[in-house]
Amino acid sequence: MPEPTWKPYSPATQWSPFHGRQSLAATTAFAFPRARKEPMTDAAHVRDAMARFNQVGDVTDTERDLAFANFKKAASHFDIQMKETDWHQFGARQA
């Protein structure tokens, strides 16, 4: 599994002089950093990103591996319990 790239989002460090407001300039806030998909800035966004995992298109399996590592790191940071041990389990029916 790849090393996670996710880091907690900090508005103080994400100031954008071009927009004059806070922005998600850092790719480290995203589950899929290259595609800049599924921002995970708080616990609600982490849960939402996990729920929408199977809906994300135009990403490779390698990027899904990275996103899963990022989910695990963000979930741990926000004290979210994850049942999944592999990204293939997202969307799988639980009996």
Side-chain angles (χ1 to χ4, degrees), residues 39-52:
M40 298 190 296
T41 55
D42 56 33
H45 279 92
V46 174
R47 286 185 196 96
D48 188 53
M50 289 191 290
R52 297 177 185 272

Side-chain angles (χ1 to χ4, degrees), residues 37 60 63 65 90:
K37 293 183 178 181
T60 65
E63 289 172 299
D65 287 336
F90 281 111

Side-chain angles (χ1 to χ4, degrees), residues 6-10 40-43 46 70-80:
W6 183 85
K7 292 181 183 173
Y9 173 75
S10 172
M40 298 190 296
T41 55
D42 56 33
V46 174
N70 287 333
F71 286 152
K72 285 177 43 176
K73 186 173 180 182
S76 175
H77 177 80
F78 292 113
D79 295 321
I80 297 170

Side-chain angles (χ1 to χ4, degrees), residues 10-89:
S10 172
T13 61
Q14 301 301 318
W15 180 258
S16 172
F18 300 106
H19 300 291
R21 61 178 170 75
Q22 293 154 355
S23 70
L24 285 175
T27 58
T28 57
F30 292 89
F32 296 90
R34 181 198 59 82
R36 296 181 62 84
K37 293 183 178 181
E38 301 303 331
M40 298 190 296
T41 55
D42 56 33
H45 279 92
V46 174
R47 286 185 196 96
D48 188 53
M50 289 191 290
R52 297 177 185 272
F53 182 82
N54 288 336
Q55 298 173 11
V56 176
D58 298 324
V59 293
T60 65
D61 283 355
T62 301
E63 289 172 299
R64 289 188 184 280
D65 287 336
L66 176 58
F68 187 77
N70 287 333
F71 286 152
K72 285 177 43 176
K73 186 173 180 182
S76 175
H77 177 80
F78 292 113
D79 295 321
I80 297 170
Q81 297 290 321
M82 284 183 66
K83 297 176 194 168
E84 299 82 5
T85 57
D86 181 83
W87 67 261
H88 295 91
Q89 295 172 338

